[in-house]
Amino acid sequence: MSSVRKKLAPAVALAACAGLALGTAPAAGAQAQAVPDGPALAKQLVKKVDVGGVNRHLIALQRISDQNGRTRAAGTPGYDKSAEYVAAKLESAGFTVTRQQFPFTYSETLAESLKVAGADVPVIVMTYSPSTPVGGITAPLAVVPSDATPGCEATDYSGVTGKIVLVSRGACSFAQKQQAAAEAGAVGAVIYNNTDGDLNGTLGDPTAAKIPTGGITKAAGESLASQNGASVTLELRTIQEQRSTYNVIAETKTGRKDNVVMAGAHLDSVPGGAGINDNGTGSAGLLETALQLGGSPKVNNAVRFAWWGAEEFGLVGSDYYTAQLSFEQQLDIALYLNFDMIGSPNAAYFAYDGDDSAGEGSGPGPYGSAQIEQQFVGYLGSQGIPVEDTDFSGRSDYGGFIALGIPAGGLFTGAEGIKTEAQAAKWGGKAGVAYDPCYHQPCDNLGNVDRKALDRNSDALAWVTATYGISTEEVNGVGPQGAKNKKATADQRKAQRSFSAHAEHTHDVAA
């Protein structure tokens, strides 16, 4: 999972990948008439998607990492071999598979340290941050007052020339904060979290990066806020270079091509680890669902699966993909489902807040997103698993789709956020501990997965994907084709009503 939403324009113009099966002609009506109803197909797929198969893909990704410098980061051999593992499986299963290449800026951490008045404070360099000299820079600390828009206006940075600023997260992007600080003469920036947990951030684009910038926890930031003027030494060093990588796109050969159901997960890890939870779990669950569905299933709507590259460098792969779509190709995509971390070791059960019922700030998703949310809530609720909302915060690959008005939804089991007492009582696990204590760390390996959560979420992934493969009528008004599908539509609506009624009793809204 990436840390912050950003748009990175491609550095070079590449082909728009005509082979992505983005045609507009619907499938033959005769084929659609033989399709089983949505819930029946979904039940079949859920039975086939076994956690043992999902786990086998995780074992493969771990071994690929171990054999290739202990990383699967985009632009490395570990990523390329992960992508080919996925692509080969899909080709054998009969999918139309395309490798979509794109450029990006690779970044890897060399050093990150912060000393304040001689005391060490853990800090994480933000992606695309400029580097300090070896040994760092030493300057006075300038504390930016915390208000409704901390560090978002030029007036917040009075008297910071030659200093390292300390500013709270919130209201505007990390890039905006450090840019405003740089324009006021600051030589470095430290941004502290406004919620519990580490702050893994990105400046979004190398061209937006102006001064060395790192992130620290809320507790550390609040402690430093009383030390205005203290001597600070900040060392943040990275290597950055232009590389290329690719997305893997696989589409069923059956189903209409003008109402495609799309589901995706990012395949890359951060440079510092194997990325087995983040996001081997989403990638493996998606792969096993695709393989069990098969390349020529009896569906009304084509199903397009995507494994995104360079998500950890700012959602580059999914942004590149959506940027290449013509308006007609955008219209061909009925909806997008996103799966980024679905087996966190101290798991939560979150669904993306399509209707913004939690009111966390980003607003609702495009029309149809609320219906997608209720499909996930309803399925998990029918299994006795209450679900909370998670905001469309811009931290994963749904962002480019939402920007085009494409309905979106998906699942998430939590990253660096801290599990509450109420959540631990509801779901189990440990209160006061991160959902994933190994988030973006070398310890994100095969031992960093809750396989019960992985099993449940893989089933939900399969259920919702198969259901929409039959009909997206509740999302965009496009129902099954053919007279023989009247019963299928009625059965699906009955199942949806049942899910909605169950969801009213099980859907817990995140505070």
Side-chain angles (χ1 to χ4, degrees):
M1 166 164 279
S2 186
S3 301
V4 143
R5 176 81 176 104
K6 71 100 178 180
K7 300 291 288 183
L8 179 60
V12 296
L14 295 181
C17 285
L20 290 183
L22 296 171
T24 58
Q31 171 194 297
Q33 292 177 3
V35 176
D37 64 277
L41 179 65
K43 288 175 184 177
Q44 293 169 13
L45 190 57
V46 167
K47 287 181 181 178
K48 291 180 179 180
V49 175
D50 180 76
V51 71
V54 179
N55 192 60
R56 184 174 176 86
H57 301 315
L58 293 183
I59 294 170
L61 295 178
Q62 178 72 64
R63 294 194 183 176
I64 288 170
S65 173
D66 290 345
Q67 294 168 14
N68 293 276
R70 300 188 181 278
T71 186
R72 297 186 307 101
T76 70
Y79 177 81
D80 293 346
K81 291 186 178 177
S82 298
E84 287 310 304
Y85 171 82
V86 170
K89 293 280 187 184
L90 295 162
E91 287 168 340
S92 295
F95 285 86
T96 300
V97 178
T98 303
R99 296 157 178 83
Q100 183 187 37
Q101 288 194 318
F102 59 89
F104 75 106
T105 301
Y106 176 85
S107 178
E108 184 176 335
T109 301
L110 298 177
E112 48 188 13
S113 68
L114 172 65
K115 291 181 181 290
V116 181
D120 289 323
V121 178
V123 63
I124 301 173
V125 62
M126 293 203 173
T127 304
Y128 300 131
S129 169
S131 291
T132 66
V134 175
I137 52 177
T138 300
L141 183 67
V143 178
V144 175
S146 184
D147 55 22
T149 57
C152 297
E153 288 87 31
T155 54
D156 292 332
Y157 296 98
S158 176
V160 302
T161 300
K163 298 180 180 179
I164 295 171
V165 300
L166 175 72
V167 59
S168 174
R169 179 183 190 175
C172 62
S173 70
F174 303 140
Q176 289 173 280
K177 293 176 191 288
Q178 58 89 39
Q179 183 171 4
E183 291 172 352
V187 296
V190 176
I191 302 174
Y192 62 95
N193 214 341
N194 55 4
T195 188
D196 292 333
D198 292 331
L199 181 53
N200 287 273
T202 176
L203 300 183
D205 187 330
T207 62
K210 304 301 179 185
I211 53 177
T213 304
I216 61 175
T217 65
K218 178 182 178 183
E222 291 175 344
S223 175
L224 294 183
S226 63
Q227 300 185 51
N228 191 52
S231 177
V232 174
T233 299
L234 178 67
E235 183 175 16
L236 302 172
R237 292 189 292 112
T238 65
I239 58 171
Q240 295 184 26
E241 60 188 31
Q242 290 298 306
R243 296 187 183 183
S244 66
T245 190
Y246 57 99
N247 299 318
V248 176
I249 313 293
E251 185 164 314
T252 59
K253 293 176 180 175
T254 50
R256 57 191 294 173
K257 307 302 183 182
D258 62 347
N259 194 54
V260 177
V261 173
M262 192 160 184
H266 78 86
L267 182 58
D268 61 313
S269 71
V270 294
I276 298 303
N277 182 44
D278 182 17
N279 182 38
T281 54
S283 292
L286 194 70
L287 178 58
E288 188 63 13
T289 295
L291 296 178
Q292 295 303 329
L293 182 66
S296 299
K298 293 181 178 180
V299 290
N300 288 311
N301 305 310
V303 183
R304 186 180 302 158
F305 297 94
W307 286 263
W308 307 117
E311 188 268 1
E312 297 292 6
F313 294 100
L315 318 180
V316 187
S318 56
D319 279 355
Y320 184 84
Y321 176 84
T322 53
Q324 307 311 306
L325 298 172
S326 69
F327 187 66
E328 289 298 324
Q329 289 170 338
Q330 295 170 27
L331 293 179
D332 290 341
I333 300 174
L335 55 90
Y336 174 70
L337 308 175
N338 193 70
F339 305 97
D340 189 353
M341 303 174 65
I342 61 171
S344 300
N346 194 27
Y349 291 86
F350 293 124
Y352 289 115
D353 189 8
D355 58 3
D356 197 32
S357 58
E360 294 185 357
S362 67
Y367 182 82
S369 301
Q371 289 83 347
I372 296 170
E373 177 189 4
Q374 286 306 313
Q375 279 288 340
F376 285 112
V377 170
Y379 176 79
L380 288 170
S382 73
Q383 306 303 304
I385 306 161
V387 180
E388 291 187 4
D389 293 328
T390 187
D391 190 40
F392 282 125
S393 62
R395 292 183 58 176
S396 196
D397 293 297
Y398 49 75
F401 293 89
I402 287 176
L404 297 177
I406 296 170
L411 300 173
F412 175 46
T413 49
E416 78 275 33
I418 305 299
K419 179 173 278 190
T420 67
E421 293 281 356
Q423 290 171 337
K426 178 165 49 183
W427 295 320
K430 296 181 180 179
V433 176
Y435 305 115
D436 182 357
C438 288
Y439 177 63
H440 282 191
Q441 297 181 45
C443 57
D444 185 7
N445 52 36
L446 280 174
N448 192 49
V449 175
D450 179 341
R451 286 169 177 80
K452 180 178 286 187
L454 180 63
D455 188 16
R456 291 168 168 174
N457 283 309
S458 295
D459 286 348
L461 187 168
W463 176 276
V464 175
T465 302
T467 296
Y468 286 134
I470 300 303
S471 174
T472 61
E473 186 171 12
E474 67 169 3
V475 172
N476 62 4
V478 179
Q481 292 180 318
K484 291 184 180 180
N485 279 313
K486 290 181 179 179
K487 181 180 183 300
T489 302
D491 288 346
Q492 185 183 30
R493 286 173 175 169
K494 181 179 178 181
Q496 289 163 356
R497 285 195 297 272
S498 175
F499 271 4
S500 296
H502 191 92
E504 290 179 2
H505 299 286
T506 61
H507 188 196
D508 295 329
V509 177

